[in-house]
Short mmCIF file of all heavy atoms in Angstrom, two decimals:
data_model
loop_
_atom_site.label_atom_id
_atom_site.label_comp_id
_atom_site.label_asym_id
_atom_site.label_seq_id
_atom_site.Cartn_x
_atom_site.Cartn_y
_atom_site.Cartn_z
N MET K 22 118.07 125.98 143.14
CA MET K 22 117.32 126.46 141.98
C MET K 22 118.18 126.47 140.75
O MET K 22 117.76 126.08 139.68
CB MET K 22 116.77 127.81 142.31
CG MET K 22 115.94 128.41 141.23
SD MET K 22 114.33 127.66 141.17
CE MET K 22 113.49 128.79 140.18
N THR K 23 119.44 126.92 140.90
CA THR K 23 120.34 127.02 139.73
C THR K 23 120.63 125.59 139.23
O THR K 23 120.72 125.42 137.97
CB THR K 23 121.62 127.67 140.12
OG1 THR K 23 121.27 129.01 140.66
CG2 THR K 23 122.54 127.89 138.97
N TYR K 24 120.77 124.65 140.13
CA TYR K 24 121.10 123.27 139.73
C TYR K 24 119.93 122.69 138.85
O TYR K 24 120.15 122.05 137.85
CB TYR K 24 121.29 122.38 140.96
CG TYR K 24 121.53 120.96 140.64
CD1 TYR K 24 122.74 120.54 140.17
CD2 TYR K 24 120.55 120.00 140.79
CE1 TYR K 24 123.04 119.24 139.85
CE2 TYR K 24 120.79 118.66 140.52
CZ TYR K 24 122.01 118.28 140.06
OH TYR K 24 122.28 117.00 139.74
N TRP K 25 118.68 122.99 139.27
CA TRP K 25 117.54 122.50 138.51
C TRP K 25 117.49 123.10 137.11
O TRP K 25 117.26 122.41 136.10
CB TRP K 25 116.26 122.88 139.29
CG TRP K 25 115.02 122.47 138.56
CD1 TRP K 25 114.49 121.23 138.51
CD2 TRP K 25 114.14 123.30 137.81
NE1 TRP K 25 113.34 121.24 137.77
CE2 TRP K 25 113.10 122.49 137.33
CE3 TRP K 25 114.15 124.64 137.46
CZ2 TRP K 25 112.06 123.00 136.54
CZ3 TRP K 25 113.16 125.16 136.67
CH2 TRP K 25 112.09 124.31 136.22
N LEU K 26 117.78 124.45 137.03
CA LEU K 26 117.78 125.09 135.70
C LEU K 26 118.92 124.60 134.81
O LEU K 26 118.77 124.39 133.62
CB LEU K 26 117.93 126.60 135.84
CG LEU K 26 116.65 127.29 136.38
CD1 LEU K 26 116.94 128.78 136.66
CD2 LEU K 26 115.50 127.16 135.43
N THR K 27 120.08 124.30 135.43
CA THR K 27 121.20 123.79 134.68
C THR K 27 120.90 122.42 134.12
O THR K 27 121.19 122.12 132.97
CB THR K 27 122.49 123.73 135.56
OG1 THR K 27 122.74 125.02 136.08
CG2 THR K 27 123.68 123.26 134.75
N GLY K 28 120.29 121.54 134.95
CA GLY K 28 119.90 120.21 134.46
C GLY K 28 118.86 120.28 133.35
O GLY K 28 118.94 119.55 132.38
N LEU K 29 117.92 121.17 133.47
CA LEU K 29 116.89 121.37 132.41
C LEU K 29 117.54 121.84 131.12
O LEU K 29 117.23 121.35 130.06
CB LEU K 29 115.81 122.37 132.87
CG LEU K 29 114.66 122.65 131.98
CD1 LEU K 29 113.88 121.35 131.67
CD2 LEU K 29 113.76 123.73 132.51
N ALA K 30 118.50 122.78 131.23
CA ALA K 30 119.15 123.24 130.00
C ALA K 30 119.97 122.16 129.38
O ALA K 30 119.99 122.08 128.14
CB ALA K 30 120.01 124.49 130.41
N LEU K 31 120.64 121.36 130.15
CA LEU K 31 121.46 120.28 129.59
C LEU K 31 120.57 119.26 128.89
O LEU K 31 120.93 118.74 127.83
CB LEU K 31 122.31 119.63 130.71
CG LEU K 31 123.46 120.46 131.24
CD1 LEU K 31 124.12 119.72 132.38
CD2 LEU K 31 124.49 120.70 130.13
N ARG K 32 119.44 118.91 129.50
CA ARG K 32 118.51 117.99 128.82
C ARG K 32 117.96 118.57 127.55
O ARG K 32 117.85 117.83 126.54
CB ARG K 32 117.40 117.58 129.80
CG ARG K 32 117.82 116.65 130.92
CD ARG K 32 116.66 116.01 131.64
NE ARG K 32 115.78 117.02 132.28
CZ ARG K 32 116.05 117.47 133.50
NH1 ARG K 32 117.03 117.00 134.23
NH2 ARG K 32 115.24 118.37 134.06
N ALA K 33 117.65 119.82 127.54
CA ALA K 33 117.14 120.47 126.32
C ALA K 33 118.19 120.46 125.24
O ALA K 33 117.88 120.18 124.06
CB ALA K 33 116.63 121.87 126.64
N GLU K 34 119.44 120.79 125.61
CA GLU K 34 120.49 120.77 124.64
C GLU K 34 120.74 119.42 124.05
O GLU K 34 120.91 119.24 122.87
CB GLU K 34 121.78 121.32 125.30
CG GLU K 34 122.94 121.36 124.34
CD GLU K 34 124.23 121.82 125.02
OE1 GLU K 34 124.26 121.86 126.25
OE2 GLU K 34 125.22 122.03 124.30
N SER K 35 120.66 118.38 124.91
CA SER K 35 120.87 117.05 124.44
C SER K 35 119.76 116.57 123.48
O SER K 35 120.00 115.97 122.47
CB SER K 35 120.89 116.07 125.64
OG SER K 35 120.99 114.71 125.24
N ALA K 36 118.53 117.01 123.81
CA ALA K 36 117.41 116.64 122.90
C ALA K 36 117.56 117.32 121.56
O ALA K 36 117.30 116.75 120.52
CB ALA K 36 116.07 117.03 123.61
N LEU K 37 118.01 118.58 121.55
CA LEU K 37 118.22 119.28 120.33
C LEU K 37 119.34 118.65 119.49
O LEU K 37 119.22 118.54 118.21
CB LEU K 37 118.52 120.77 120.56
CG LEU K 37 117.36 121.64 121.00
CD1 LEU K 37 117.85 123.03 121.42
CD2 LEU K 37 116.37 121.75 119.88
N GLN K 38 120.38 118.24 120.14
CA GLN K 38 121.47 117.56 119.41
C GLN K 38 120.99 116.26 118.81
O GLN K 38 121.32 115.98 117.66
CB GLN K 38 122.66 117.29 120.35
CG GLN K 38 123.44 118.52 120.72
CD GLN K 38 124.52 118.24 121.78
OE1 GLN K 38 124.50 117.17 122.38
NE2 GLN K 38 125.42 119.15 121.92
N ARG K 39 120.22 115.49 119.54
CA ARG K 39 119.72 114.23 119.00
C ARG K 39 118.78 114.47 117.82
O ARG K 39 118.84 113.78 116.83
CB ARG K 39 118.97 113.40 120.08
CG ARG K 39 119.86 112.75 121.08
CD ARG K 39 119.15 111.75 121.93
NE ARG K 39 117.97 112.32 122.56
CZ ARG K 39 117.91 112.87 123.75
NH1 ARG K 39 119.04 113.03 124.45
NH2 ARG K 39 116.75 113.32 124.27
N SER K 40 117.89 115.49 117.90
CA SER K 40 117.03 115.73 116.77
C SER K 40 117.81 116.26 115.53
O SER K 40 117.46 115.95 114.45
CB SER K 40 115.94 116.74 117.19
OG SER K 40 116.50 117.99 117.44
N GLY K 41 118.87 117.05 115.84
CA GLY K 41 119.69 117.50 114.71
C GLY K 41 120.44 116.38 114.05
O GLY K 41 120.57 116.32 112.80
N GLU K 42 120.93 115.42 114.82
CA GLU K 42 121.60 114.26 114.29
C GLU K 42 120.66 113.40 113.45
O GLU K 42 120.99 112.93 112.40
CB GLU K 42 122.23 113.45 115.37
CG GLU K 42 123.41 114.07 116.07
CD GLU K 42 123.85 113.35 117.31
OE1 GLU K 42 123.24 112.32 117.62
OE2 GLU K 42 124.78 113.86 117.99
N ALA K 43 119.44 113.24 113.92
CA ALA K 43 118.44 112.46 113.21
C ALA K 43 118.08 113.12 111.91
O ALA K 43 117.95 112.53 110.87
CB ALA K 43 117.17 112.30 114.05
N ALA K 44 117.96 114.46 111.93
CA ALA K 44 117.65 115.24 110.69
C ALA K 44 118.81 115.09 109.68
O ALA K 44 118.54 114.89 108.48
CB ALA K 44 117.41 116.70 110.98
N ARG K 45 120.09 115.11 110.14
CA ARG K 45 121.18 114.93 109.25
C ARG K 45 121.19 113.56 108.63
O ARG K 45 121.46 113.34 107.42
CB ARG K 45 122.51 115.21 109.96
CG ARG K 45 122.82 116.66 110.14
CD ARG K 45 124.27 116.90 110.60
NE ARG K 45 124.46 116.41 111.94
CZ ARG K 45 124.15 117.07 113.07
NH1 ARG K 45 123.59 118.22 112.97
NH2 ARG K 45 124.37 116.54 114.22
N ARG K 46 120.90 112.50 109.43
CA ARG K 46 120.85 111.14 108.90
C ARG K 46 119.75 111.01 107.86
O ARG K 46 119.97 110.36 106.82
CB ARG K 46 120.58 110.15 109.98
CG ARG K 46 121.88 109.85 110.85
CD ARG K 46 121.67 108.58 111.71
NE ARG K 46 120.48 108.61 112.51
CZ ARG K 46 120.42 109.16 113.74
NH1 ARG K 46 121.46 109.63 114.32
NH2 ARG K 46 119.30 109.08 114.43
N ARG K 47 118.59 111.63 108.08
CA ARG K 47 117.51 111.58 107.09
C ARG K 47 117.93 112.31 105.80
O ARG K 47 117.64 111.86 104.73
CB ARG K 47 116.22 112.21 107.67
CG ARG K 47 115.52 111.22 108.64
CD ARG K 47 114.11 111.73 108.88
NE ARG K 47 114.09 113.04 109.51
CZ ARG K 47 114.20 113.33 110.80
NH1 ARG K 47 114.33 112.32 111.68
NH2 ARG K 47 114.16 114.53 111.28
N ALA K 48 118.57 113.44 105.98
CA ALA K 48 118.97 114.21 104.80
C ALA K 48 120.08 113.44 104.00
O ALA K 48 120.09 113.57 102.77
CB ALA K 48 119.56 115.57 105.23
N ASP K 49 120.87 112.68 104.67
CA ASP K 49 121.91 111.87 103.98
C ASP K 49 121.34 110.60 103.41
O ASP K 49 122.06 109.80 102.76
CB ASP K 49 123.05 111.50 104.95
CG ASP K 49 123.84 112.71 105.35
OD1 ASP K 49 123.77 113.77 104.66
OD2 ASP K 49 124.55 112.70 106.40
N GLY K 50 120.07 110.31 103.71
CA GLY K 50 119.50 109.07 103.21
C GLY K 50 119.68 107.90 104.10
O GLY K 50 119.39 106.74 103.78
N HIS K 51 120.17 108.09 105.33
CA HIS K 51 120.39 107.06 106.27
C HIS K 51 119.43 107.13 107.45
O HIS K 51 118.98 108.25 107.79
CB HIS K 51 121.82 107.12 106.85
CG HIS K 51 122.90 107.04 105.84
ND1 HIS K 51 123.09 105.90 105.07
CD2 HIS K 51 123.74 107.95 105.38
CE1 HIS K 51 124.07 106.14 104.24
NE2 HIS K 51 124.51 107.38 104.42
N GLY K 52 119.05 106.03 107.99
CA GLY K 52 118.20 106.04 109.18
C GLY K 52 116.74 106.26 108.89
O GLY K 52 115.99 106.46 109.83
N ASP K 53 116.34 106.24 107.65
CA ASP K 53 114.89 106.41 107.35
C ASP K 53 114.37 105.13 106.72
O ASP K 53 114.41 104.93 105.51
CB ASP K 53 114.74 107.56 106.39
CG ASP K 53 113.27 107.91 106.19
OD1 ASP K 53 112.45 107.49 106.97
OD2 ASP K 53 112.92 108.60 105.22
N ASP K 54 113.93 104.23 107.57
CA ASP K 54 113.44 102.93 107.09
C ASP K 54 111.94 102.99 106.79
O ASP K 54 111.34 102.03 106.39
CB ASP K 54 113.68 101.83 108.13
CG ASP K 54 115.15 101.63 108.32
OD1 ASP K 54 115.93 101.87 107.37
OD2 ASP K 54 115.56 101.16 109.42
N GLY K 55 111.33 104.09 106.98
CA GLY K 55 109.86 104.22 106.77
C GLY K 55 109.07 103.75 107.98
O GLY K 55 109.63 103.35 108.98
N ASP K 56 107.80 103.77 107.81
CA ASP K 56 106.90 103.42 108.89
C ASP K 56 106.23 102.07 108.56
O ASP K 56 105.09 102.04 108.15
CB ASP K 56 105.84 104.52 109.10
CG ASP K 56 104.93 104.26 110.25
OD1 ASP K 56 105.29 103.41 111.13
OD2 ASP K 56 103.86 104.88 110.33
N VAL K 57 107.00 101.02 108.67
CA VAL K 57 106.50 99.68 108.28
C VAL K 57 105.26 99.29 109.04
O VAL K 57 104.28 98.87 108.45
CB VAL K 57 107.65 98.63 108.38
CG1 VAL K 57 107.10 97.24 108.13
CG2 VAL K 57 108.77 98.97 107.44
N PRO K 58 105.21 99.36 110.38
CA PRO K 58 104.00 98.97 111.08
C PRO K 58 102.76 99.75 110.64
O PRO K 58 101.67 99.22 110.53
CB PRO K 58 104.32 99.20 112.52
CG PRO K 58 105.81 99.13 112.62
CD PRO K 58 106.27 99.68 111.32
N GLY K 59 103.01 101.04 110.37
CA GLY K 59 101.87 101.86 109.86
C GLY K 59 101.36 101.43 108.54
O GLY K 59 100.15 101.32 108.30
N TRP K 60 102.26 101.13 107.61
CA TRP K 60 101.83 100.64 106.30
C TRP K 60 101.18 99.24 106.34
O TRP K 60 100.24 99.00 105.61
CB TRP K 60 102.99 100.63 105.34
CG TRP K 60 103.33 102.02 104.82
CD1 TRP K 60 104.43 102.72 105.16
CD2 TRP K 60 102.51 102.81 104.00
NE1 TRP K 60 104.34 103.98 104.53
CE2 TRP K 60 103.19 104.04 103.82
CE3 TRP K 60 101.29 102.64 103.38
CZ2 TRP K 60 102.68 105.10 103.05
CZ3 TRP K 60 100.80 103.65 102.62
CH2 TRP K 60 101.47 104.87 102.44
N VAL K 61 101.67 98.41 107.23
CA VAL K 61 101.05 97.12 107.40
C VAL K 61 99.61 97.27 107.94
O VAL K 61 98.68 96.63 107.46
CB VAL K 61 101.87 96.23 108.36
CG1 VAL K 61 101.09 94.95 108.79
CG2 VAL K 61 103.19 95.83 107.73
N LEU K 62 99.43 98.19 108.88
CA LEU K 62 98.14 98.44 109.41
C LEU K 62 97.16 99.00 108.35
O LEU K 62 96.03 98.59 108.19
CB LEU K 62 98.20 99.41 110.58
CG LEU K 62 96.87 99.78 111.28
CD1 LEU K 62 96.23 98.54 111.84
CD2 LEU K 62 97.10 100.80 112.33
N VAL K 63 97.62 99.96 107.53
CA VAL K 63 96.84 100.52 106.48
C VAL K 63 96.46 99.41 105.47
O VAL K 63 95.27 99.35 105.00
CB VAL K 63 97.58 101.65 105.72
CG1 VAL K 63 96.87 102.06 104.46
CG2 VAL K 63 97.70 102.85 106.70
N THR K 64 97.37 98.54 105.09
CA THR K 64 97.11 97.45 104.17
C THR K 64 96.09 96.47 104.70
O THR K 64 95.16 96.09 104.01
CB THR K 64 98.42 96.69 103.80
OG1 THR K 64 99.35 97.67 103.30
CG2 THR K 64 98.17 95.64 102.79
N LEU K 65 96.23 96.10 105.92
CA LEU K 65 95.28 95.16 106.56
C LEU K 65 93.88 95.79 106.69
O LEU K 65 92.88 95.13 106.43
CB LEU K 65 95.78 94.70 107.92
CG LEU K 65 97.01 93.81 107.91
CD1 LEU K 65 97.47 93.47 109.35
CD2 LEU K 65 96.64 92.50 107.18
N MET K 66 93.83 97.08 107.05
CA MET K 66 92.54 97.76 107.20
C MET K 66 91.90 97.82 105.78
O MET K 66 90.63 97.66 105.67
CB MET K 66 92.68 99.09 107.83
CG MET K 66 93.06 99.00 109.29
SD MET K 66 93.42 100.62 110.03
CE MET K 66 91.80 101.46 109.84
N THR K 67 92.62 98.16 104.76
CA THR K 67 92.07 98.26 103.43
C THR K 67 91.56 96.86 102.98
O THR K 67 90.46 96.81 102.41
CB THR K 67 93.10 98.77 102.44
OG1 THR K 67 93.59 100.04 102.89
CG2 THR K 67 92.57 98.87 101.05
N ALA K 68 92.31 95.84 103.21
CA ALA K 68 91.86 94.50 102.84
C ALA K 68 90.57 94.11 103.61
O ALA K 68 89.69 93.53 103.08
CB ALA K 68 92.94 93.49 103.13
N GLY K 69 90.49 94.50 104.88
CA GLY K 69 89.32 94.24 105.68
C GLY K 69 88.09 94.99 105.15
O GLY K 69 86.98 94.44 105.08
N LEU K 70 88.29 96.24 104.76
CA LEU K 70 87.19 97.01 104.23
C LEU K 70 86.70 96.45 102.90
O LEU K 70 85.48 96.36 102.67
CB LEU K 70 87.60 98.50 104.04
CG LEU K 70 87.70 99.31 105.30
CD1 LEU K 70 88.33 100.67 105.03
CD2 LEU K 70 86.37 99.50 105.95
N VAL K 71 87.59 96.06 102.03
CA VAL K 71 87.23 95.47 100.74
C VAL K 71 86.48 94.18 100.93
O VAL K 71 85.48 93.92 100.34
CB VAL K 71 88.48 95.24 99.85
CG1 VAL K 71 88.16 94.42 98.65
CG2 VAL K 71 89.08 96.59 99.43
N THR K 72 86.94 93.39 101.90
CA THR K 72 86.28 92.09 102.14
C THR K 72 84.85 92.32 102.73
O THR K 72 83.95 91.66 102.29
CB THR K 72 87.12 91.28 103.17
OG1 THR K 72 88.40 91.03 102.59
CG2 THR K 72 86.49 89.92 103.49
N ALA K 73 84.75 93.25 103.65
CA ALA K 73 83.44 93.55 104.20
C ALA K 73 82.48 94.12 103.14
O ALA K 73 81.30 93.67 103.06
CB ALA K 73 83.59 94.55 105.36
N LEU K 74 82.96 94.97 102.29
CA LEU K 74 82.16 95.54 101.23
C LEU K 74 81.77 94.45 100.27
O LEU K 74 80.59 94.45 99.84
CB LEU K 74 82.91 96.68 100.50
CG LEU K 74 82.16 97.38 99.38
CD1 LEU K 74 80.92 98.10 99.99
CD2 LEU K 74 83.07 98.36 98.70
N TRP K 75 82.63 93.58 99.93
CA TRP K 75 82.36 92.49 98.99
C TRP K 75 81.35 91.54 99.54
O TRP K 75 80.45 91.07 98.88
CB TRP K 75 83.63 91.73 98.61
CG TRP K 75 83.41 90.70 97.59
CD1 TRP K 75 83.30 89.34 97.79
CD2 TRP K 75 83.25 90.89 96.19
NE1 TRP K 75 83.13 88.74 96.59
CE2 TRP K 75 83.05 89.64 95.60
CE3 TRP K 75 83.19 92.06 95.40
CZ2 TRP K 75 82.83 89.47 94.25
CZ3 TRP K 75 83.00 91.85 94.05
CH2 TRP K 75 82.79 90.60 93.45
N ALA K 76 81.41 91.27 100.86
CA ALA K 76 80.48 90.38 101.49
C ALA K 76 79.07 90.93 101.51
O ALA K 76 78.06 90.22 101.35
CB ALA K 76 80.91 90.09 102.95
N VAL K 77 78.96 92.25 101.65
CA VAL K 77 77.65 92.90 101.70
C VAL K 77 77.06 93.12 100.28
O VAL K 77 75.85 92.91 100.07
CB VAL K 77 77.77 94.25 102.47
CG1 VAL K 77 76.46 95.03 102.35
CG2 VAL K 77 78.12 93.99 103.92
N ALA K 78 77.90 93.52 99.36
CA ALA K 78 77.34 93.96 98.05
C ALA K 78 77.90 93.15 96.88
O ALA K 78 78.03 93.69 95.79
CB ALA K 78 77.66 95.45 97.87
N ARG K 79 78.18 91.89 97.12
CA ARG K 79 78.79 91.11 96.03
C ARG K 79 77.95 90.97 94.74
O ARG K 79 78.40 91.21 93.64
CB ARG K 79 79.10 89.67 96.49
CG ARG K 79 79.71 88.82 95.42
CD ARG K 79 80.13 87.48 95.94
NE ARG K 79 79.04 86.70 96.38
CZ ARG K 79 79.14 85.49 96.99
NH1 ARG K 79 80.32 85.01 97.21
NH2 ARG K 79 78.12 84.89 97.38
N ASP K 80 76.66 90.77 94.92
CA ASP K 80 75.84 90.63 93.74
C ASP K 80 75.69 91.93 93.00
O ASP K 80 75.80 91.95 91.71
CB ASP K 80 74.40 90.18 94.17
CG ASP K 80 74.38 88.77 94.76
OD1 ASP K 80 75.31 87.99 94.42
OD2 ASP K 80 73.52 88.48 95.59
N ARG K 81 75.55 93.03 93.65
CA ARG K 81 75.41 94.32 93.01
C ARG K 81 76.73 94.71 92.33
O ARG K 81 76.76 95.22 91.19
CB ARG K 81 75.00 95.39 94.02
CG ARG K 81 74.87 96.74 93.45
CD ARG K 81 73.64 96.85 92.54
NE ARG K 81 73.51 98.21 92.08
CZ ARG K 81 73.24 98.56 90.84
NH1 ARG K 81 72.96 97.62 89.98
NH2 ARG K 81 73.17 99.80 90.51
N LEU K 82 77.88 94.50 93.02
CA LEU K 82 79.16 94.84 92.40
C LEU K 82 79.46 93.99 91.18
O LEU K 82 80.01 94.50 90.18
CB LEU K 82 80.30 94.64 93.45
CG LEU K 82 80.29 95.67 94.57
CD1 LEU K 82 81.32 95.23 95.64
CD2 LEU K 82 80.63 97.06 94.05
N THR K 83 79.10 92.71 91.23
CA THR K 83 79.27 91.83 90.03
C THR K 83 78.42 92.31 88.89
O THR K 83 78.89 92.37 87.76
CB THR K 83 78.90 90.39 90.38
OG1 THR K 83 79.69 90.00 91.53
CG2 THR K 83 79.15 89.44 89.25
N GLU K 84 77.19 92.69 89.18
CA GLU K 84 76.29 93.24 88.13
C GLU K 84 76.86 94.48 87.53
O GLU K 84 76.84 94.65 86.28
CB GLU K 84 74.93 93.51 88.73
CG GLU K 84 73.90 94.09 87.83
CD GLU K 84 72.62 94.44 88.52
OE1 GLU K 84 72.27 93.78 89.49
OE2 GLU K 84 72.01 95.43 88.11
N VAL K 85 77.30 95.43 88.30
CA VAL K 85 77.89 96.67 87.82
C VAL K 85 79.13 96.41 86.96
O VAL K 85 79.27 96.97 85.90
CB VAL K 85 78.25 97.64 88.99
CG1 VAL K 85 79.04 98.80 88.50
CG2 VAL K 85 76.95 98.13 89.66
N PHE K 86 79.97 95.49 87.40
CA PHE K 86 81.19 95.15 86.69
C PHE K 86 80.81 94.52 85.31
O PHE K 86 81.37 94.88 84.27
CB PHE K 86 82.08 94.20 87.49
CG PHE K 86 83.30 93.77 86.72
CD1 PHE K 86 84.38 94.64 86.60
CD2 PHE K 86 83.37 92.50 86.16
CE1 PHE K 86 85.50 94.24 85.90
CE2 PHE K 86 84.52 92.11 85.46
CZ PHE K 86 85.60 92.97 85.35
N ASP K 87 79.88 93.57 85.31
CA ASP K 87 79.52 92.89 84.07
C ASP K 87 78.94 93.88 83.10
O ASP K 87 79.21 93.82 81.90
CB ASP K 87 78.50 91.77 84.39
CG ASP K 87 79.16 90.60 85.06
OD1 ASP K 87 80.38 90.45 84.98
OD2 ASP K 87 78.43 89.79 85.68
N ARG K 88 78.06 94.80 83.63
CA ARG K 88 77.43 95.81 82.75
C ARG K 88 78.50 96.75 82.18
O ARG K 88 78.47 97.11 80.99
CB ARG K 88 76.44 96.59 83.52
CG ARG K 88 75.50 97.36 82.61
CD ARG K 88 74.30 97.97 83.28
NE ARG K 88 74.10 97.58 84.64
CZ ARG K 88 73.77 98.39 85.66
NH1 ARG K 88 73.67 99.69 85.40
NH2 ARG K 88 73.60 97.93 86.87
N ALA K 89 79.50 97.12 82.96
CA ALA K 89 80.58 97.98 82.47
C ALA K 89 81.43 97.32 81.38
O ALA K 89 81.74 97.93 80.36
CB ALA K 89 81.47 98.46 83.61
N VAL K 90 81.77 96.07 81.63
CA VAL K 90 82.56 95.32 80.64
C VAL K 90 81.77 95.11 79.36
O VAL K 90 82.26 95.25 78.23
CB VAL K 90 83.05 93.96 81.22
CG1 VAL K 90 83.68 93.09 80.17
CG2 VAL K 90 84.04 94.21 82.32
N THR K 91 80.51 94.78 79.48
CA THR K 91 79.63 94.60 78.31
C THR K 91 79.52 95.87 77.51
O THR K 91 79.52 95.85 76.24
CB THR K 91 78.21 94.07 78.72
OG1 THR K 91 78.38 92.87 79.45
CG2 THR K 91 77.37 93.86 77.52
N SER K 92 79.44 96.99 78.16
CA SER K 92 79.31 98.30 77.42
C SER K 92 80.60 98.66 76.67
O SER K 92 80.52 99.32 75.68
CB SER K 92 78.91 99.39 78.37
OG SER K 92 79.99 99.74 79.25
N VAL K 93 81.70 98.18 77.16
CA VAL K 93 82.95 98.47 76.49
C VAL K 93 83.24 97.48 75.40
O VAL K 93 83.60 97.83 74.25
CB VAL K 93 84.15 98.46 77.51
CG1 VAL K 93 85.42 98.58 76.77
CG2 VAL K 93 84.00 99.59 78.51
N VAL K 94 83.06 96.17 75.68
CA VAL K 94 83.40 95.11 74.75
C VAL K 94 82.23 94.82 73.76
O VAL K 94 82.46 94.57 72.62
CB VAL K 94 83.80 93.83 75.52
CG1 VAL K 94 84.09 92.68 74.58
CG2 VAL K 94 84.97 94.11 76.40
N GLY K 95 81.05 94.90 74.27
CA GLY K 95 79.86 94.56 73.46
C GLY K 95 79.40 93.15 73.82
O GLY K 95 80.12 92.36 74.45
N PRO K 96 78.18 92.84 73.45
CA PRO K 96 77.58 91.51 73.80
C PRO K 96 78.31 90.34 73.14
O PRO K 96 78.90 90.23 72.21
CB PRO K 96 76.17 91.59 73.38
CG PRO K 96 75.97 92.89 72.71
CD PRO K 96 77.22 93.66 72.77
#
């Protein structure tokens, strides 16, 4: 029983040390490359939504845009 608790404590201590080291690297400006796959996914999903919206409502969006530009610039 003591062996199991000792192993658990050692693993917990190791995990805390690793998280502390990662926090220090982030605070120093090292090791933080950002979430590139996440941003790529957000960009692709946004482009997909815009494309789908444009395919469905192209005529109406063009009309709204033309009317807005005409109201600002004039005929």
Side-chain angles (χ1 to χ4, degrees):
M22 180 77 164
T23 305
Y24 179 75
W25 178 79
L26 288 174
T27 304
L29 182 62
L31 288 174
R32 285 193 299 272
E34 180 183 10
S35 176
L37 285 173
Q38 286 176 346
R39 285 192 309 269
S40 67
E42 290 169 4
R45 281 191 293 279
R46 281 194 307 270
R47 283 192 300 274
D49 293 340
H51 302 294
D53 187 16
D54 296 332
D56 183 17
V57 174
W60 283 110
V61 169
L62 181 61
V63 168
T64 303
L65 290 175
M66 289 175 65
T67 302
L70 286 172
V71 169
T72 303
L74 182 63
W75 185 257
V77 171
R79 179 173 64 185
D80 295 334
R81 180 70 177 137
L82 289 172
T83 303
E84 178 185 328
V85 169
F86 177 77
D87 289 341
R88 196 170 350 136
V90 170
T91 302
S92 71
V93 172
V94 178

